[in-house]
Amino acid sequence: MYSFTEENYLKNILKLHLGGTQVISTNVLAESMHTKASSVTDMIKKLAVKKLLKYEPYRGCVLTNLGKSVAVTTLRKHRLWETFLVNTLSFSWDEVHEVAEQLEHIQSDKLISQLDAFLGFPTHDPHGDPIPQLDGKIATSAFFTLDKAKSQNQLIVCGVLNHTTDFLKYLSKYGIQIGSHLSILQINAFDRSIDLLLNEKQQFNLSNEVVKNILVQFIKQVA
Amino acid sequence: MYSFTEENYLKNILKLHLGGTQVISTNVLAESMHTKASSVTDMIKKLAVKKLLKYEPYRGCVLTNLGKSVAVTTLRKHRLWETFLVNTLSFSWDEVHEVAEQLEHIQSDKLISQLDAFLGFPTHDPHGDPIPQLDGKIATSAFFTLDKAKSQNQLIVCGVLNHTTDFLKYLSKYGIQIGSHLSILQINAFDRSIDLLLNEKQQFNLSNEVVKNILVQFIKQVA
DNA sequence: TTATTTTTTTAGACAAGTCTAAATATTTTT
DNA sequence: AAAAATATTTAGACTTGTCTAAAAAAATAA
Ligand SMILES: [Mn+2]
Ligand SMILES: [Mn+2]
Ligand SMILES: [Mn+2]
Ligand SMILES: [Mn+2]
């Protein structure tokens, strides 16, 4: 129905919307698409004709409901495939994104619904991001970033904001993954780094730059 | 590395080679690609420049070893994905081809090797076609078509030559699938149709047109 | 409010892949 | 061996998506 390129534009606009931007400017979208502003202008004019977004010259664009639904479906497919790659095919969380970028464009409703069922209707992908449901609803994250934590907090790692291979490999090297337990020992005021205890065993320090990209929640007391 | 289109051309040429044709003519390839002869001429010139095939104007083309290896890999991916769709995601054998046509172009060596392992290193796809191995070897079929059978033969269905949804649905309606047992009751000389017994239960007649497209082998006596 | 900088759009070009119509080659028939 | 039929290639055009360079609009600074 829609080309890979169109789906990628819509998905990137959606991500920018989800990041809190109402109207997406040409330059911001060009950055996000790793392309030039002139290419973006051409493309958003075409997407506007197809009623996938609203476009005001020199003002930027906003997804229509139609465009949003295409984008959400693409994001859903991306995250389901990432889950499949990690849970079923033993990929590590830093290896899945590139492959999911390809798989998300496969067109088959049955494929996605069967995959969803096979995976047991997962709610979050391997990076802790919510998987949009069939009806288009995306769970809003109840998680907060580790730099908001207080001393003595008992936390559990739920996701990451930075999805780059480098960052994920860095976390993996320390043994940090989704589900890891973190106890905050001390917050260092001078550089905002955090001393913590991982899984009640290893103790180390994480820089503020790292800490800002780790999503956590309080450990739930299971009665 | 290679575009979807290039992979599709190479895969179609390989299929024609496997069908017994040494040199592939422009018109035959155009038919196979559902495109026009002039488009084929353009494309094979490009593939020749890339050393994927040898091309003699007005004479036709032949895959090089490089082209053959790309084509075989694509065919391997196609058949592994078909196997996944049927074995893991509960697709029926007449629903998988279109989706596999898309999935076969996903680029990730790890994806394919992990999928192969997950499926238990299958040797044949859901239509009974051999899955090319990593080294490029394609098992030659030890099967024969049902129209070669003799009266009293005890056979097992191993594959099909016609892969269309219509044909596969037709077989499924009668309950014929890979692994079905067939006993030849009678061969009717006048129309070359066959009366047979399916799985020692149902008895019916299959036309010569149908019978020519079913691959079988003798039932092996397992001691 | 005018001048300068930044952002966005337009103009024109290019690559991939396809098509139709016309020109050549090749094969088959007479 | 020439004529007719068939197969193949060339020429020119079109679509999608991209780019650079230049023009125009908007935002910011003076
Ligand atoms: Mn991803
Ligand atoms: Mn993810
Ligand atoms: Mn197939
Ligand atoms: Mn098959």
Side-chain angles (χ1 to χ4, degrees):
Chain A
M1 190 67 184
Y2 300 106
S3 71
F4 284 27
T5 308
E6 289 171 326
E7 288 185 350
N8 283 334
Y9 269 92
L10 296 172
K11 192 185 59 169
N12 275 279
I13 297 169
L14 176 68
K15 277 192 200 161
L16 294 165
H17 279 323
L18 293 176
T21 315
Q22 316 290 320
V23 179
I24 311 304
S25 76
T26 302
N27 262 358
V28 166
L29 184 51
E31 168 92 0
S32 163
M33 287 295 299
H34 305 108
T35 185
K36 303 292 166 172
S38 56
S39 305
V40 170
T41 303
D42 285 348
M43 179 56 74
I44 58 183
K45 280 196 271 186
K46 289 174 196 163
L47 295 175
V49 169
K50 295 186 182 183
K51 309 281 187 200
L52 291 160
L53 49 78
K54 257 178 40 196
Y55 164 56
E56 295 251 29
Y58 296 101
R59 295 278 140 209
C61 67
V62 179
L63 289 179
T64 60
N65 284 334
L66 176 60
K68 214 175 294 171
S69 89
V70 174
V72 168
T73 298
T74 306
L75 192 62
R76 170 173 157 80
K77 294 197 279 182
H78 182 98
R79 292 179 177 170
L80 280 172
W81 280 116
E82 284 190 342
T83 305
F84 169 76
L85 293 173
V86 168
N87 292 10
T88 308
L89 296 192
S90 314
F91 277 60
S92 58
W93 69 348
D94 58 284
E95 297 174 316
V96 298
H97 182 76
E98 291 302 306
V99 184
E101 283 292 308
Q102 300 178 61
L103 286 164
E104 71 189 6
H105 302 293
I106 304 291
Q107 293 192 7
S108 165
D109 289 346
K110 175 155 186 169
L111 176 61
I112 295 309
S113 67
Q114 292 296 99
L115 186 65
D116 192 26
F118 172 73
L119 296 171
F121 307 103
T123 59
H124 290 77
D125 82 0
H127 310 106
D129 297 311
I131 297 173
Q133 297 306 297
L134 243 182
D135 60 14
K137 294 221 172 70
I138 308 177
T140 51
S141 184
F143 313 145
F144 55 96
T145 51
L146 188 48
D147 64 325
K148 307 288 192 309
K150 303 276 187 293
S151 196
Q152 308 296 336
N153 280 177
Q154 303 282 313
L155 304 166
I156 189 160
V157 175
C158 300
V160 291
L161 290 184
N162 182 327
H163 287 193
T164 62
T165 299
D166 278 354
F167 184 69
L168 298 175
K169 281 215 157 107
Y170 178 84
L171 294 188
S172 296
K173 203 174 64 191
Y174 280 100
I176 298 172
Q177 50 186 267
I178 298 223
S180 293
H181 284 205
L182 304 179
S183 308
I184 309 299
L185 301 178
Q186 187 175 334
I187 297 165
N188 305 297
F190 49 97
D191 67 350
R192 298 188 166 183
S193 71
I194 294 184
D195 297 333
L196 49 78
L197 188 66
L198 170 66
N199 293 327
E200 293 81 42
K201 289 200 289 279
Q202 296 146 272
Q203 180 179 337
F204 49 74
N205 177 273
L206 291 179
S207 73
N208 181 258
E209 192 51 42
V210 168
V211 141
K212 280 191 301 188
N213 285 290
I214 299 179
L215 289 167
V216 294
Q217 66 180 151
F218 293 111
I219 290 180
K220 298 269 189 349
Q221 295 299 89
V222 181
Chain B
M1 190 65 183
Y2 300 105
S3 71
F4 284 27
T5 308
E6 289 171 325
E7 288 185 350
N8 283 334
Y9 269 92
L10 296 172
K11 192 186 59 169
N12 276 278
I13 297 168
L14 176 69
K15 277 192 202 162
L16 293 166
H17 278 323
L18 292 177
T21 315
Q22 315 290 321
V23 178
I24 311 304
S25 77
T26 302
N27 263 359
V28 165
L29 184 51
E31 167 92 359
S32 162
M33 288 294 299
H34 305 109
T35 186
K36 302 290 165 173
S38 56
S39 306
V40 170
T41 302
D42 286 348
M43 179 55 74
I44 59 183
K45 280 196 271 187
K46 290 175 195 162
L47 295 175
V49 169
K50 295 186 182 184
K51 309 283 185 198
L52 292 160
L53 49 77
K54 257 178 41 195
Y55 164 55
E56 295 251 29
Y58 296 100
R59 295 279 140 208
C61 68
V62 179
L63 289 178
T64 60
N65 284 334
L66 176 59
K68 214 175 294 172
S69 89
V70 174
V72 168
T73 298
T74 307
L75 192 62
R76 170 173 158 80
K77 294 197 278 183
H78 183 98
R79 291 179 177 171
L80 279 172
W81 280 116
E82 286 191 341
T83 304
F84 169 76
L85 293 173
V86 168
N87 292 10
T88 309
L89 296 192
S90 314
F91 277 60
S92 57
W93 70 348
D94 57 286
E95 296 173 317
V96 297
H97 183 75
E98 290 303 305
V99 184
E101 283 293 307
Q102 299 178 61
L103 287 163
E104 71 189 5
H105 302 293
I106 304 291
Q107 293 193 8
S108 165
D109 289 346
K110 175 156 186 168
L111 176 61
I112 294 308
S113 66
Q114 291 297 98
L115 186 65
D116 192 25
F118 172 73
L119 296 172
F121 307 103
T123 59
H124 290 77
D125 83 0
H127 310 106
D129 297 312
I131 298 173
Q133 298 306 297
L134 243 182
D135 60 13
K137 293 221 172 72
I138 309 176
T140 50
S141 184
F143 313 144
F144 54 96
T145 51
L146 187 49
D147 65 324
K148 307 290 192 308
K150 302 277 187 293
S151 196
Q152 309 295 335
N153 279 177
Q154 303 282 312
L155 304 167
I156 189 161
V157 174
C158 299
V160 291
L161 291 185
N162 181 327
H163 288 194
T164 63
T165 299
D166 278 355
F167 183 70
L168 298 174
K169 281 215 157 106
Y170 178 85
L171 294 187
S172 297
K173 203 174 63 191
Y174 280 100
I176 298 172
Q177 49 186 267
I178 298 223
S180 293
H181 284 205
L182 304 179
S183 309
I184 309 299
L185 302 177
Q186 188 176 334
I187 297 165
N188 306 294
F190 49 97
D191 67 350
R192 297 189 167 184
S193 72
I194 294 183
D195 297 332
L196 49 78
L197 188 67
L198 170 65
N199 294 326
E200 291 81 42
K201 288 199 290 279
Q202 295 146 272
Q203 181 178 336
F204 48 74
N205 177 273
L206 291 179
S207 73
N208 181 258
E209 192 52 40
V210 168
V211 139
K212 280 191 301 188
N213 284 290
I214 299 178
L215 289 167
V216 294
Q217 67 179 151
F218 293 111
I219 291 180
K220 297 272 193 343
Q221 294 300 89
V222 181

